[in-house]
Amino acid sequence: MKIRGGYSKKILEIDLSSKTTRIRKLSDRFILKYIGGRGFGAKLVWDNLRPDLDPLSPDNVVVIAPGPLTGVFLPASGKTSFVSISPATGIYADSNVGGMFGVELRQAGYDAMLIRGRADKLSYIWIDNGQVEIVANDDLKGKGYLEAEGIIRHEIGDEMVKVAGIGPAGENLVRFACINADWGRNAGRTGMGTIFGSKNLKAIAVRGASDLPVHDVGLLRELSNKAFDSLKKNPYFEFWQRQGLMSVVDYLNEAGVLPTYNFRDGRFDRADSINGYEMEEKYKIGDTACFGCPMACGNINLVKEGEYAGTVVEGPEYETACMFGSNLGVDNFAFILKANAVCDDLGIDTISAGNLIGVLIEGCESGILKPGDVDGMTLRWGDEESILALVNKIGRREGVGDVLADGAKRVLEKWPALKPITSQVKGLEQSAYDGRATISMALAYATSDIGAHHARAWTVGKELEMGADWGIEEKAALVIYHQQTRPVFDMLGVCRLPWIELGFSELHYPEFYRAVTGVSMTIEEMFERSDALYNLTRLINVDRGVTHKDDYPPDRCFDLPIKTGPQAGKVVDRDEYERILDLYYKKRGWDENGVPPESVREQFNDKLDE
Ligand code: SF4
């Protein structure tokens, strides 16, 4: 198969310690095997990995990879993956961001970049098409992300430059620091911002002027027009534009799986004060969209009056509204906006922060923690002042914030008694969907290669819809189907939300890929690539100590029945979970410890340029 478009076939490598750069050529064989985005990232991490690697050491690499469809005329085609070994979990990690950053990187002439080493002073990388400069700038120290982005743009003298970078939390090595881009977009999970901080890297700024190589522009235009039409004709389209992911609050609350009071309940009696209608009525002033996206799910909100007046933020999306709302007993949307803005400026993941603050409040309420453990604070559900104080303490590593800043894994090492009330898998704090009513979601969290994150497989809706009609065979297959489909979007550099929310078929993507690259690949062949990617990341994790014992959902999933609402009394049955996990391993072709066969390992010995 000949590749006729879609790739520059170049990766930019930067060593911050030696201040050197080099361009590495990609072979067609490498491209066709790993496709791009998260696929390129996982392979490059694997190639650069030692089993004893400390994620915060200069030897760790971070790969920044858009995909072959990023920035071409298609709906929702602005995604870029950040891939590394997580400082929070110690295992494979990635997180992606929308906006325009990856588009600009591709226009600068690169399919991906890889960064290793550590700058001797706080610096940013400035990529101006073919020119690459490492710019030390001490004035960026301690600056919130938004201010830092402004300083960098001003110094470069180009308002159109695209920037991705970190706030003080990344500099302070908060292990769940995120990477912000384009004002309010975040690669939120797994501590990719911490990796930047460990490298003394405040940001990357990029400007590109090249046209992206497209094989068949006429075909792409035809397919794109049809795709835009089909999205706009979806009956849900207009509502989605109004609320974006905030529409999910009501759906989950009515279904009884909205995390409430640190994942104790699945229903919040004041959900109508933190939902999409509340946002629309009182706070929303505009929309933003990633490149090429008619869905425009970024809600821009302004608090016009009261204690938080003047707060303006792109967000929240559902996860933030839940983790700083129902999960902490908060019913004030203005406060959620304030917490969102503070997290964005500090550069911390709202899911991990909201999750851990919930654990702390319950830990104090239940007497596991004493006032002396939490800087003498009195922590209560819905207490906005102390929640905001904790966010700031985390970002600046002050007092108890210094403990939380190390993430769930290390919090449990310090306070093992918190384990039954901490919702995490492999050290990653669980995101905002209750897994107790749907065993497939519990399995999805437990077998996710980055820990308890919903974006690997989100099966709640389908399992609730199928109810008693489905056995564990179908449920295990559903998890694998999601784990096959979602990497395809990340490898191609597009957003999965048209597929999830507006019924857009995954079968369109091989057609788009053919138009852009000239390569015919069926969806089954794409799924073979994503299965291989799942094997690759599993091997990385196995080499870093992950075994069968790590493939379990949080204790709370088994031990604490949902209290109220339509799922009241639901909990995952342990014996059934053992059966579904065994089945999952068999379907994946892994042994009873969850280890892929040795022959699989050999598939990844290839070099990128051979
Ligand atoms: Fe970006 Fe939202 Fe569109 Fe996805 S749906 S590309 S996140 S604007």
Side-chain angles (χ1 to χ4, degrees):
M1 273 184 286
K2 188 159 172 48
I3 298 169
R4 297 187 164 86
Y7 297 92
S8 63
K9 303 188 181 180
K10 284 188 295 185
I11 287 184
L12 171 64
E13 281 195 11
I14 300 175
D15 188 326
L16 291 169
S17 298
S18 61
K19 297 187 172 61
T20 53
T21 64
R22 72 167 170 160
I23 306 292
R24 302 207 50 197
K25 289 251 168 65
L26 296 177
S27 70
D28 284 12
R29 195 202 48 70
F30 179 93
I31 288 170
L32 293 171
K33 186 169 173 184
Y34 299 101
I35 297 183
R38 182 171 144 191
F40 283 1
K43 169 63 171 152
L44 292 168
V45 165
W46 167 260
D47 286 347
N48 285 279
L49 194 60
R50 286 193 331 262
D52 61 345
L53 176 94
D54 173 358
L56 295 177
S57 78
D59 292 343
N60 195 9
V61 299
V62 57
V63 179
I64 299 140
L69 302 190
T70 306
V72 297
F73 178 57
L74 282 170
S77 55
K79 289 286 184 176
T80 301
S81 290
F82 292 77
V83 187
S84 188
I85 298 296
S86 166
T89 64
I91 61 173
Y92 170 80
D94 66 60
S95 191
N96 69 52
V97 71
M100 291 289 295
F101 179 81
V103 179
E104 203 78 21
L105 182 63
R106 297 241 294 141
Q107 288 180 317
Y110 307 107
D111 289 331
M113 58 189 293
L114 178 149
I115 303 167
R116 60 163 55 85
R118 184 174 199 272
D120 49 8
K121 290 186 179 147
L122 191 66
S123 302
Y124 66 91
I125 295 170
W126 165 220
I127 302 168
D128 183 6
N129 292 285
Q131 300 293 317
V132 181
E133 203 181 335
I134 300 163
V135 185
N137 184 337
D138 245 11
D139 291 345
L140 295 170
K141 202 168 175 49
K143 292 286 190 288
Y145 173 70
L146 293 178
E147 190 181 354
E149 184 173 327
I151 292 170
I152 291 168
R153 283 180 203 276
H154 183 72
E155 186 164 293
I156 290 170
D158 181 351
E159 283 305 309
M160 297 306 289
V161 73
K162 300 293 178 291
V163 182
I166 61 172
E171 290 177 56
N172 294 335
L173 304 183
V174 173
R175 288 179 191 259
F176 45 89
C178 56
I179 292 173
N180 307 53
D182 294 335
W183 187 46
R185 299 271 161 186
N186 301 308
R189 306 238 64 196
T190 68
M192 292 299 101
T194 324
I195 301 295
F196 269 36
S198 72
K199 298 189 175 305
N200 251 338
L201 179 63
K202 184 74 176 179
I204 302 168
V206 60
R207 196 78 166 100
S210 320
D211 289 338
L212 298 181
V214 170
H215 165 59
D216 188 335
V217 174
L219 178 60
L220 181 67
R221 190 178 299 123
E222 188 188 320
L223 294 172
S224 277
N225 286 334
K226 278 191 200 156
F228 280 111
D229 274 355
S230 108
L231 289 177
K232 285 182 188 162
K233 280 185 188 139
N234 187 289
Y236 189 52
F237 179 75
E238 185 268 338
F239 182 60
W240 173 270
Q241 275 196 325
R242 280 171 30 211
Q243 295 203 357
L245 278 163
M246 282 299 296
S247 56
V248 179
V249 174
D250 285 341
Y251 167 70
L252 292 171
N253 197 45
E254 278 154 31
V257 289
L258 180 78
T260 301
Y261 299 117
N262 189 31
F263 295 90
R264 285 195 300 205
D265 211 342
R267 198 172 173 95
F268 187 48
D269 55 6
R270 288 159 284 148
D272 58 357
S273 58
I274 61 164
N275 66 8
Y277 293 104
E278 174 78 1
M279 175 188 76
E280 279 191 82
E281 197 188 321
K282 297 184 187 157
Y283 302 97
K284 182 160 173 172
I285 56 168
D287 290 314
T288 59
C290 304
F291 179 85
C293 187
M295 293 166 67
C297 77
N299 296 305
I300 301 184
N301 285 298
L302 168 70
V303 183
K304 300 179 191 101
E305 57 193 9
E307 191 178 350
Y308 308 115
T311 300
V312 60
V313 66
E314 182 189 328
E317 58 170 337
Y318 160 71
E319 300 286 337
T320 306
C322 173
M323 298 311 285
F324 276 93
S326 56
N327 198 51
L328 300 182
V330 169
D331 59 4
N332 179 3
F333 197 78
F335 171 75
I336 293 170
L337 294 177
K338 178 68 181 175
N340 194 159
V342 172
C343 284
D344 280 5
D345 207 43
L346 288 168
I348 50 180
D349 176 22
T350 53
I351 299 177
S352 293
N355 179 312
L356 289 171
I357 291 171
V359 172
L360 212 65
I361 296 173
E362 188 178 342
C364 289
E365 186 186 56
S366 63
I368 298 171
L369 297 177
K370 306 289 175 237
D373 293 322
V374 295
D375 306 337
M377 298 168 82
T378 304
L379 300 181
R380 280 187 294 265
W381 301 112
D383 180 353
E384 297 167 13
E385 193 180 337
S386 58
I387 293 168
L388 210 51
L390 284 170
V391 171
N392 280 300
K393 279 170 177 275
I394 292 170
R396 306 199 184 281
R397 276 192 175 272
E398 290 166 2
V400 68
D402 190 36
V403 180
L404 297 189
D406 271 336
K409 193 173 168 183
R410 290 165 181 82
V411 167
L412 293 181
E413 282 166 13
K414 180 174 173 65
W415 291 316
L418 292 177
K419 183 164 181 290
I421 68 168
T422 304
S423 295
Q424 58 84 34
V425 174
K426 299 180 177 74
L428 188 70
E429 299 78 14
Q430 181 176 314
S431 40
Y433 303 91
D434 198 311
R436 287 173 291 180
T438 51
I439 194 171
S440 61
M441 195 63 223
L443 181 70
Y445 281 135
T447 58
S448 156
D449 53 0
I450 59 170
H453 187 48
H454 63 285
R456 296 326 230 210
W458 187 84
T459 61
V460 174
K462 190 70 181 171
E463 186 174 337
L464 289 176
E465 180 193 324
M466 298 313 291
D469 290 347
W470 269 15
I472 58 168
E473 180 79 38
E474 288 88 352
K475 291 172 188 173
L478 179 66
V479 172
I480 290 178
Y481 164 66
H482 274 253
Q483 291 174 345
Q484 281 175 330
T485 311
R486 288 163 178 251
V488 170
F489 302 123
D490 294 347
M491 289 191 282
L492 293 174
V494 296
C495 178
R496 66 187 181 277
L497 289 172
W499 170 74
I500 298 170
E501 302 292 344
L502 298 189
F504 199 66
S505 170
E506 68 258 28
L507 295 174
H508 293 305
Y509 290 91
E511 294 181 331
F512 297 155
Y513 189 68
R514 181 166 60 87
V516 171
T517 65
V519 174
S520 293
M521 207 184 272
T522 64
I523 193 68
E524 289 76 21
E525 287 168 328
M526 288 187 169
F527 285 172
E528 282 170 21
R529 269 61 170 187
S530 53
D531 280 341
L533 179 57
Y534 232 79
N535 277 332
L536 175 58
T537 56
R538 182 70 182 184
L539 284 171
I540 291 172
N541 290 346
V542 166
D543 288 353
R544 298 189 65 77
V546 165
T547 69
H548 176 272
K549 72 173 177 0
D550 301 299
D551 294 337
Y552 285 81
D555 293 358
R556 184 143 276 186
C557 230
F558 298 116
D559 299 335
L560 184 79
I562 296 177
K563 272 176 147 172
T564 61
Q567 310 300 336
K570 291 271 179 68
V571 76
V572 172
D573 178 81
R574 276 189 190 273
D575 292 338
E576 191 179 24
Y577 185 78
E578 295 297 345
R579 289 199 299 280
I580 201 170
L581 182 60
D582 281 352
L583 196 56
Y584 174 90
Y585 286 165
K586 283 196 185 97
K587 282 180 182 291
R588 282 249 172 244
W590 299 348
D591 71 13
E592 66 281 5
N593 283 316
V595 180
E598 206 49 36
S599 57
V600 169
R601 184 179 288 274
E602 289 157 16
Q603 293 169 15
F604 303 115
N605 289 338
D606 51 338
K607 299 275 178 287
L608 57 84
D609 50 1
E610 48 182 32

